[in-house]
């Protein structure tokens, strides 16, 4: 989180040869190649048309390089997050569409206010996944020039209201996931999944959760069942070294509300925006 960062400073061709006469020195003649047209049944069949259900997840990755603290009038660097790893892991989890039984695509976007506003206005997907350092008092986006841009509660509410209920779930992977969740709930989002991440370059926990979670939703499980699948994925993953007390880090809000609802494959989707290629970070520690 930004505050934590301040404190703490990864065929054969069918050619026939003419008979050779041993008593002559003439060059052998080559017969013309046979060019019989293959029968219809021998022609390759066209690829089958997929009848798999289709849906989409839009992933916003907020990675400002710095932010300005108005209280101290100081500029602060913001460490990188491994968005390349997150993107490749999520896409790989649902890559085998026949095995999954569905075609769910991931669209990755830079988290600028314009992209954010367009997403909600068009209702590009029923689920928004947001990955960022975060801030306890605002939604921390990018301004398009490398700096953090904050979105107030009122602005967020206007964005959410413009979606007219098309955006049902927000998944937040951030150091301040729960604080941000409260803002989205107050703005009118029905379901929020909190994935509290550590203030490190690569945190495996939220990624392992998201893989299990989205796979379950693609298999037409309810939101509540998908959340449980995500929790199990974290507990069973050899990549997550501290899987105790996962309920402290991963939450489905609001508490007490029913989350036994299906999210995917319930409506047609608008045209997808272009997906960005997350920054190359494989050479970083």
């Amino acid at each position: 989180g930004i505050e934590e960062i301040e404190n703490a400073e990864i065929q054969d061709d069918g050619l026939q040869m003419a008979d050779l006469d041993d008593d002559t020195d003439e060059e052998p003649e080559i017969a013309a190649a046979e060019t019989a047209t293959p029968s219809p049944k021998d022609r390759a069949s066209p690829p089958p048309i997929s009848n798999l259900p289709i849906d989409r997840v839009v992933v916003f990755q907020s990675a400002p390089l710095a932010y300005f603290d108005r209280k101290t009038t100081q500029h602060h660097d913001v460490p990188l997050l491994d968005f390349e790893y997150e993107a490749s892991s999520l896409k790989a989890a649902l890559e085998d569409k026949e095995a999954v039984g569905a075609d769910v695509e991931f669209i990755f976007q830079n988290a600028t206010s314009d992209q954010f506003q367009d997403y909600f206005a068009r209702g590009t997907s029923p689920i928004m996944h947001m990955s960022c350092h975060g801030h306890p008092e605002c939604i921390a986006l990018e301004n398009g020039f490398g700096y953090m841009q904050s979105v107030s509660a009122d602005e967020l509410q206007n964005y959410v209201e413009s979606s007219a209920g098309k955006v049902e779930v927000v998944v937040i992977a951030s150091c301040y996931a729960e604080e941000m969740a409260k803002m989205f709930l107050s703005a009118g989002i029905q379901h929020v999944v909190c994935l509290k991440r550590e203030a490190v370059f690569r945190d495996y926990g939220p990624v392992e959760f998201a893989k299990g979670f989205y796979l379950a939703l693609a298999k037409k499980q309810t939101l509540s069942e998908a959340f449980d699948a995500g929790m199990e994925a974290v507990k069973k993953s050899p990549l997550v070294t501290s899987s105790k007390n996962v309920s402290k880090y991963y939450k489905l809000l609001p508490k007490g509300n029913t989350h036994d609802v299906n999210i995917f494959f319930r409506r047609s989707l608008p045209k997808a925006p272009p997906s960005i290629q997350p920054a190359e970070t494989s050479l970083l520690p």
Side-chain angles (χ1 to χ4, degrees):
I2 290 175
E3 289 193 350
E4 294 181 32
I5 292 163
E6 288 183 76
N7 297 327
E9 299 285 87
I10 16 154
Q11 81 210 243
D12 176 350
D13 291 323
L15 295 179
Q16 299 177 340
M17 298 298 294
D19 293 336
L20 297 182
D21 187 345
D22 294 334
D23 299 324
T24 180
D25 292 326
E26 293 181 0
E27 292 291 330
E29 295 180 357
I30 300 177
E34 296 181 0
T35 57
T37 302
S39 62
K41 67 179 181 180
D42 294 327
R43 297 193 186 107
S45 300
I49 297 175
S50 175
N51 291 316
L52 294 174
I54 299 173
D55 220 305
R56 181 189 301 140
V57 177
V58 173
V59 181
F60 281 103
Q61 298 177 322
S62 180
L65 300 177
Y67 75 99
F68 177 71
D69 189 334
R70 287 185 173 82
K71 293 180 181 178
T72 63
T73 67
Q74 296 293 312
H75 297 267
H76 301 273
D77 293 337
V78 179
L80 293 174
L81 295 177
D82 198 349
F83 288 151
E84 182 194 20
Y85 175 77
E86 176 186 57
S88 61
S89 296
L90 292 180
K91 288 187 291 187
L94 303 184
E95 191 172 27
D96 191 341
K97 299 176 176 60
E98 295 298 331
V100 174
D103 183 356
V104 177
E105 68 173 335
F106 287 96
I107 300 294
F108 297 88
Q109 297 274 276
N110 288 321
T112 64
S113 60
D114 287 344
Q115 297 278 33
F116 224 58
Q117 185 173 8
D118 181 69
Y119 166 76
F120 281 103
R122 298 176 65 228
T124 315
S125 71
I127 298 182
M128 184 190 84
H129 182 115
M130 185 171 184
S131 187
C132 60
H133 276 298
H135 192 282
E137 300 175 357
C138 67
I139 304 301
L141 305 182
E142 305 174 31
N143 70 354
F145 299 98
Y147 267 75
M148 186 188 90
Q149 179 175 351
S150 63
V151 173
S152 69
D154 288 341
E155 290 174 309
L156 182 61
Q157 184 166 352
N158 289 335
Y159 293 164
V160 173
E161 288 178 352
S162 72
S163 75
K166 295 186 183 73
V167 180
E168 301 176 60
V169 182
V170 171
V171 178
I172 307 171
S174 168
C175 300
Y176 297 103
E178 197 161 354
E179 289 87 344
M180 293 171 65
K182 292 176 182 177
M183 299 180 205
F184 277 101
L185 290 170
S186 295
I189 294 297
Q190 302 174 53
H191 316 276
V192 180
V193 178
C194 300
L195 311 178
K196 182 176 174 61
R197 62 167 295 133
E198 300 293 339
V200 294
F201 176 61
R202 181 185 297 178
D203 187 353
Y204 291 102
V207 176
E208 292 300 295
F209 179 99
K211 287 160 60 179
F213 175 76
Y214 290 122
L215 180 58
L217 287 179
K219 289 180 175 292
K220 302 181 181 180
Q221 294 186 28
T222 66
L223 179 60
S224 182
E225 292 169 333
F227 180 82
D228 291 342
M231 295 285 272
E232 283 302 307
V234 173
K235 294 175 183 177
K236 295 178 180 180
S237 174
L239 297 174
V240 182
T241 56
S242 58
S243 58
K244 294 182 180 180
N245 300 319
V246 290
S247 60
K248 176 181 178 181
Y249 296 94
Y250 308 106
K251 299 180 180 181
L252 178 55
L253 301 175
K255 292 181 179 180
N257 280 30
T258 179
H259 300 289
D260 297 325
V261 293
N262 293 99
I263 303 301
F264 284 154
F265 322 124
R266 293 171 55 200
R267 65 178 176 88
S268 59
L269 298 171
K271 181 179 178 181
S275 185
I276 64 166
Q277 178 63 40
E280 174 66 48
T281 53
S282 59
L283 299 181
L284 297 172

